[in-house]
Structure formats: structure tokens, C-alpha cells
Amino acid sequence: MTAQTRPADPGLTAAEVAERIQRGQRNDLPPRSGRTRADIVRANVFTRINGILAALLICVLATGSWINGAFGLLIFANSAIGIIQELRAKKTLDSLAVVGEARPRIRRDGVGREYAREEIVLDDLIEVGPGDQIVVDGTVVEADYLEVDESLLTGESDPEPKAPGAEVLSGSFVVSGAGAYRATRVGATSYAAQLTAEAAKFTLVKSELTRGINQILKVITWVLVPVGAATIWVQLSQAGDDWRRAVLAMAGALVPMVPEGLILLTAVAFALGVVRLGQRKCLVQELPAIEGLARVDVVCADKTGTLTENGMTFGELRVLDGVPPAEVEDGLRQLAASDARPNVSMQTIAAALVPADVRWPVLAKAPFTSAKKWSGATFEASANASVSWVIGAPDVLAAPGSAAASEADQLAAQGLRVLLVGTAELPVDDPGAPGAVSPKALVVLNQRIRPDAADTLAFFADQGVGLKVISGDNAASVGAVTRSLGVVSDHAVDARMLPADPQAFADAVEHTDVFGRVTPHQKRAMVGALQQHGHTVAMTGDGVNDVLALKDADLGVAMGSGSAATRAVAKIVLLDDRFATLPHVVAEGRRVIGNIERVANLFLTKTIYSALLALFVVLWRVPFPYLPIHVTITGWFTIGIPAFLLSLAPNNERARPGFVERVLRLGVPAGVIVAVATFVTYLLVLPESGTDVVAMRQATTATLACVIVAATWVLAVVARPYQWWKVALVLVSGLAYLLIFSWPFTQSLFMLDVSDALAMTTGLISGLIGAALIELTWWIRGAMFNEPRVFWKSRIEDV
């Protein structure tokens, strides 16, 4: 490690900054949410589905039948809803990102103060200390025992000492010491721009859910193209001179095959999740993180700053036998004065002492790191002598079994944070430092447990989510805190005692809940070990020692008051530092994923029965039974409105792998049943003469009644487990169709004729038979695949 070797640089002047801004040498970054407003509008308007619907709408409007073009409203609805929700999500992400992002300290005109990242210009002098993120690429100008962790970029596990002249890259972070570097690459040329574009991008990549929906859409596309082409040919060949009838029949067959609402509701559910979490001061930096929330089955929590509050209070200074208290206080004052960027513990100690009147000359310094668990400084005591004061973990600095070590263990067992202060045998910059330490005193610091921590841990236990507490603190202290929170564990394991063998290490992590004295790289290894055992792991933390584990976890959750480096790599940031927000975060993820799976059943069923019905019409070479307006009203209350409401409902079931398989298990058989029941009804009521307009309208109405009864029962099955509002939703849907079929105004408007009692009875009976078969399918699926068949739930699930 190297101390500062150059005089302080005043940085750029105001005139030099203005000149660089004029030249465009500013750190302009991509939008925090990844897409501009124009991008969002384009992405929601110019979609493949909107294009298909628009083409069909033009064909229908060409016939002069405006009422049959009602499905065209879906284009505007899909686009408007998608744009509004994504813009809300963008606004939430951008506003929260401003609060949560790192604000680098820039020195200009000899004065250092915090600026937004976008205000950095080329050649700016940026000051850094422990936990600070390197936000742009640069060259070190000042180094005061500066060490930078580049493992996220290079994979190198050990921090790199940085001397003046050394290069630093954005994406790395400071683990110890202090210094300043000059920005050499800003904006799009900096590696930070790439990180920003990827870290906060509003996208659905790397998502099992999205991959599953894409697979379903791919299958639907392969079915839609040949069936659609065959339908067009059959309808045109049968229409003769009545091209208008052929076009309307073709549109009536093709429109329901398009799963127009599935993609929309998926995007809306994710965007609404971002907004809801934003209202709880929770910043979602990667949209797929919402899906990760639903799949988490193990939470790894750091103790300090997560289970306990970030700040500490000074407890007492317990001077050991025969040591003058004034000597210890002088040593602590000088340690505090020599630390340019003290950590929370040193800040607490310094606040309790009177500042030193005279500073001792510093010969060498050793900043604190989580790996070595101590810090110190070597001071000049006289012309030919020096003294090295150190402070850190008693179980690291004190001899095992010594009086100081035993007393420290007793205090730690009470949940207190205990530090040992003493003098070291070797200078602190010696490779063998600190050598033998002469204990002088124990410093006792009080940690306040978060008042909501116990309830939060109880929530995870009730939900079947495992908890692992992994802390760099003394194992006895960690164990005392976790026991007070109700975490059941025989004992806290000192991570230094864990086996070196990877398999034995993984087994120990799997079967132990509380760990102390964990190094940053052990935290990372623990996350990896749990993932190897098939767990989906969330990691919470606030310190620079948590960065590696946060990055590797399936879901990294950082505290808003934590270091800039932790906030940068985490997928979710709790801006208000409330650990109790996590249950709401998990519940939101489960709501989004569970409900998307629920409504996907509705859309897949509709697409299956629409495609099969079109295929049957092609094979039997009969006129298509519906007009586009009939397709529109069928979708209103069996899919559209119910699916939107179901996508917003609470859902606390943990997401499981196998999304596509589960959707296919119900969607395919239900679609086949509805299609067969509908087509059989159509064949039974189809008049001998296809030119009899009145008889064809009666046949269409009876067939429509069949498909609505069967499709409504699909809705009734998908809505389970029932709650009062879900029962009301199904009943209202049924009553709405009863009104449409019985009111003369709607009969005329939607081209319905219910006057043929025999045809209507046939349609209703066929629909009820289809409903019964769908119900039987639901029970058989549950029995075959061991899926829960909960029929009723008395209360709305929420947290």
C-alpha cells in the first residue's frame, strides 16, 4: 500500500469546467430507466399484434360494417394502457434513481463537494474513500493507502493497491484508504455508461416467465399462419359474389386467435409492480428482479445495517488492568484523527471523545478492511522511536484464552459490538502486522435492533423462506442478536472454522443458519453454495463487504444508506432502509408472477379454441359461425376485463419453475373442450341453406351461447381459490351476457337472435357439458401433477 505522494491538486476551475461542457465532454448517461418516452411510445404502438389487428380492421371497415370493427379499439386500448403504465414506471424509476444513485465528490477550485454523476466532466478530480464506487474511468492522482476491488471486472479476488498514476475503471469500488483520481473517459466512452444501460434497463430479459410467454407465442404463430391462410381460402371460395361476408367471416376467425392481451397484461403487471414498490421507497433497478422476488426461497441477511440499525451508540470504554485510561483515550483520539474516511465504528468512538489538541506524526497507516478485521496507525513517539496503535476484532488481535479475549467473548454473547484497542509489536505497514498485540482496553458499542426485524423474519418463516444470517461480526454477538429475533439455531458458526473442501463447505452452509466472522469472499461463496443446492437466493446488505455476494445472488437487495458500491450492484434498493419493506417486495413479486400465470391460462384457452374452431370450419368447409363483433363481446367478460382484474389481485404463492408446462396442462385441454363443444353445437343448429340470413343468425347466436358458457367456466376455474370478489367477478360476467342476449337493444346492436328456442337450448346444454368437462379436467390435473386444488380462501392474502 502507498501513502499520498503528491501535493493536493485543486482540480478544475469553473472556467475549465464550462469549457469542457461546451465541448460536449460531460458525463452524459443513458436514461436511468433505459428507454426514452419516444422509445416507450414506439414499442407499444408498433407491435406485431397491433399490426395484425390493424390489417384486419382495414379489411372489415372496407365492408362498411363499422360495428364489426369494434375490435379495433383493442389497438388503442393496448397501446394507451401500455404507454401509460410504462411511463408511470419510468417516472418512478427515474425519480427514485436520483435518490438512490451514487453522488461522487468532485474537487473544483480546491473545494470538494458532491455532484450528480452527469455533472462530471473530462479531467475532473474525483475524491474517493471506503465503499465509494468508481463512477468513471480515470487515473489516480492521490493515494492514501488506497485499495480498489476490481473483482467484478477482472475476477481477481484480492484488492489492488493503487498508487498515483495507476488506472481505475468504473465498476470497481474502494475497499480501504482514500484518494482522488482524474476522469479520463466520461459519457458513452466510459465503462460506467455500459453499466448504467444494463443495470437500470426497463426490460424483461433473462426471465423464465418471458421466455415461457415467448414459447407460447411462437407455437401460436406457427398455428395461426397455416390455419389463418386456410380459413381465408375457404371463406372466399364459399362466399361467391358476397365478398363482404367472406371478409367478415375471415376476420371473425382470425381476430380471436391473436393473444392481444397476454403481452399487454404482462407488461402492465411488471410496470405496475415497479410503481407499487416505488410507493414504498423501493427502487427496482432491473425489471426481472420482480420475477426473482417471487422465486426466492432463501434470504441471506447481513446483521449490521439489516437486522440492526446502521448507526451505533458508544457504550463504554473498559480499560484493562494496570492501563491508564488517559493513555487509551489518547491512542483512540490519534487513531480517529489519522483516518481520513472513518467507518461507522470509528465515527462513533470519535464522537464520544474530545478531539486531540495535537496530532502525532503518522509514519504508516493500515485502513480497516472486512478481510483482516482491524485498522491502525504507526505514530512517531520520539526521534528514534515509534508506537503502533491498532483497533479491531478481539478474536483477531488478542491471544486466544487471554483475559481480554475472554472478557470480549462474554460481552459479545450479550449482543454487543466489542472492539479491542492496543499497541502492536510491528509497524502497521509491515507484511507481518500487527504481530503480537498488547491489549489496552475494550470498546463497547451498542447496536439497536430494528423494531420491525422480528416481524419480518416471522413472515419469511411462515412463507417457507429460509433465512441465513451471515455477518463479519463476532459469531457470539451475531448469535445473541439472532436469538433475540427468534431465529432458531443451536449456535452461531465462526466462518473461519468452515471446511476448505467446496462440497463440505456447501453442506455446512446448507445446514447452518447463523455465521459470524465471514469474509466478503466467503459471503460470495455461501451464496454460490446455496445456489448449487437448487435455492433461489436473495442477499441483503449495506456495506462494501457485501458487494460481491449482492452481485452474485439471484436477487441483491441493498439498503439506501449503504455504500455507493452496494447500491450500484443491487437489483433492488430499499431507499428508506426499512427491512420490513422486504415482505411487501416479495408479495409484489408473487402477485405479478402468479397472476400472469393465471391470466395466461385464459388467453391460451381462447387462442386454442379459436384456432381449432377455424380448423374445423376449414375441414368441414362450412361458413364461419361468427362475425368480428361476436368475437369482441365474447372476449369482454370471459377474458378482457376479468383478466385485467385478476392480474392486480394479491397472490402469496411462491413461484415455481415450469410456467409453460402448467399453463399448457389447463389451457390446451380446456381449449379443445370449448372448440369441440362449440363446433358440435354449430353443426347441430346449422341450417341447410347457408343463404337463409335469419336462420344463420339464430345458429350463430346459439353457437355463441355455447362458447360463452364454456369460456365463462374456464374463468371460474382459473379464478380459484375463490374469495368474495372473485365469485362476484364470475357472476357479473354471467349476468352481463344474460343482459346482452335478452335486451332487444343489444340483440339488434350485436346482431343476435334468440327466437329459436331449440337452437338456444342446444347451445346452452352443449356449453354446460363443456363446462362440466373443464371442471373434470381441473380435478384430474390436480391429481396427476400433485397441484393444489384449493376451492375457497376466506380472506384476501396480503402483507
Side-chain angles (χ1 to χ4, degrees), residues 46-68:
F46 301 105
T47 66
R48 184 184 307 168
I49 286 178
N50 279 355
I52 295 173
L53 292 177
L56 292 173
L57 176 62
I58 292 171
C59 294
V60 169
L61 294 180
T63 69
S65 179
W66 291 86
I67 188 65
N68 278 301

Side-chain angles (χ1 to χ4, degrees), residues 218-233 254 257 611 614-615 618:
K218 188 179 294 183
V219 172
I220 289 172
T221 302
W222 281 106
V223 172
L224 190 149
V225 172
V227 172
T231 300
I232 293 171
W233 176 72
L254 296 182
M257 292 188 209
L615 182 61
V618 168

Side-chain angles (χ1 to χ4, degrees), residues 595 598-599 601-602 642 646 649 651 666 712-723 725-730 778 790-793:
N595 291 338
R598 191 189 300 273
V599 300
N601 280 293
L602 293 175
L646 288 173
N651 189 330
L666 179 63
T712 301
W713 199 253
V714 174
L715 169 63
V717 167
V718 167
R720 294 170 186 166
Y722 292 136
Q723 291 153 350
W725 69 271
K726 290 182 181 179
V727 174
L729 176 64
V730 176
W778 183 71
V790 182
F791 196 79
W792 182 268
K793 192 156 285 188

Side-chain angles (χ1 to χ4, degrees), residues 502-650:
Q503 186 59 51
F505 178 87
D507 291 341
V509 173
E510 176 74 15
H511 298 104
T512 308
D513 295 330
V514 182
F515 299 90
R517 290 293 177 237
V518 186
T519 66
H521 292 286
Q522 280 182 314
K523 288 188 177 184
R524 187 182 204 176
M526 287 177 175
V527 169
L530 291 168
Q531 291 169 329
Q532 288 174 13
H533 275 81
H535 295 293
T536 301
V537 182
M539 173 73 198
T540 68
D542 70 329
V544 68
N545 58 324
D546 301 315
V547 170
L548 302 179
L550 284 169
K551 185 68 175 177
D552 283 3
D554 298 287
L555 182 67
V557 181
M559 296 295 172
S561 64
S563 70
T566 59
R567 299 198 305 272
V569 302
K571 294 181 176 69
I572 289 178
V573 181
L574 305 180
L575 295 174
D576 60 358
D577 278 6
R578 294 188 67 239
F579 187 50
T581 303
L582 270 184
H584 298 283
V585 172
V586 171
E588 188 62 32
R590 292 182 177 182
R591 182 194 65 78
V592 170
I593 304 307
N595 291 338
I596 289 176
E597 181 172 325
R598 191 189 300 273
V599 300
N601 280 293
L602 293 175
F603 286 102
L604 181 61
T605 298
K606 184 203 75 166
T607 300
I608 294 292
Y609 74 65
S610 300
L612 285 177
L613 189 59
L615 182 61
F616 293 155
V617 166
V618 168
L619 295 177
W620 265 262
R621 297 181 61 80
V622 293
F624 196 78
Y626 303 137
L627 296 175
I629 187 58
H630 300 141
V631 173
T632 301
I633 63 175
T634 301
W636 280 349
F637 299 108
T638 62
I639 299 173
I641 295 173
F644 182 74
L645 295 176
L646 288 173
S647 71
L648 304 179

Side-chain angles (χ1 to χ4, degrees), residues 145-211:
Y145 299 93
L146 181 67
E147 288 189 322
V148 175
D149 191 313
E150 299 176 337
S151 59
L152 298 178
L153 305 178
T154 65
E156 175 58 47
S157 60
D158 296 324
E160 287 288 323
K162 294 294 182 179
E167 183 184 32
V168 288
L169 294 177
S170 51
S172 55
F173 56 93
V174 179
V175 292
S176 66
Y181 68 96
R182 192 175 304 283
T184 56
R185 286 190 294 271
V186 296
T189 62
S190 170
Y191 185 65
Q194 303 170 34
L195 283 183
T196 302
E198 293 302 319
K201 201 165 186 178
F202 193 84
T203 176
L204 299 178
V205 297
K206 298 180 182 177
S207 158
E208 180 187 345
L209 178 72
T210 315
R211 284 196 301 270

Side-chain angles (χ1 to χ4, degrees), residues 360 363 377-381 385-389 423-424:
W360 299 346
L363 301 178
T378 299
F379 302 99
E380 183 180 317
S386 64
V387 59
S388 297
W389 282 86
T423 54

Side-chain angles (χ1 to χ4, degrees), residues 104-181:
R105 185 176 179 84
I106 304 174
R107 189 189 305 164
R108 291 174 179 171
D109 290 315
V111 179
R113 71 179 184 88
E114 291 184 349
Y115 291 83
R117 291 180 305 165
E118 291 87 347
E119 295 180 90
I120 299 173
V121 299
L122 189 68
D123 297 325
D124 251 332
L125 196 63
I126 303 166
E127 300 175 356
V128 289
D132 286 346
Q133 183 190 14
I134 305 297
V135 291
V136 294
D137 303 341
T139 302
V140 175
V141 174
E142 302 169 6
D144 189 8
Y145 299 93
L146 181 67
E147 288 189 322
V148 175
D149 191 313
E150 299 176 337
S151 59
L152 298 178
L153 305 178
T154 65
E156 175 58 47
S157 60
D158 296 324
E160 287 288 323
K162 294 294 182 179
E167 183 184 32
V168 288
L169 294 177
S170 51
S172 55
F173 56 93
V174 179
V175 292
S176 66
Y181 68 96

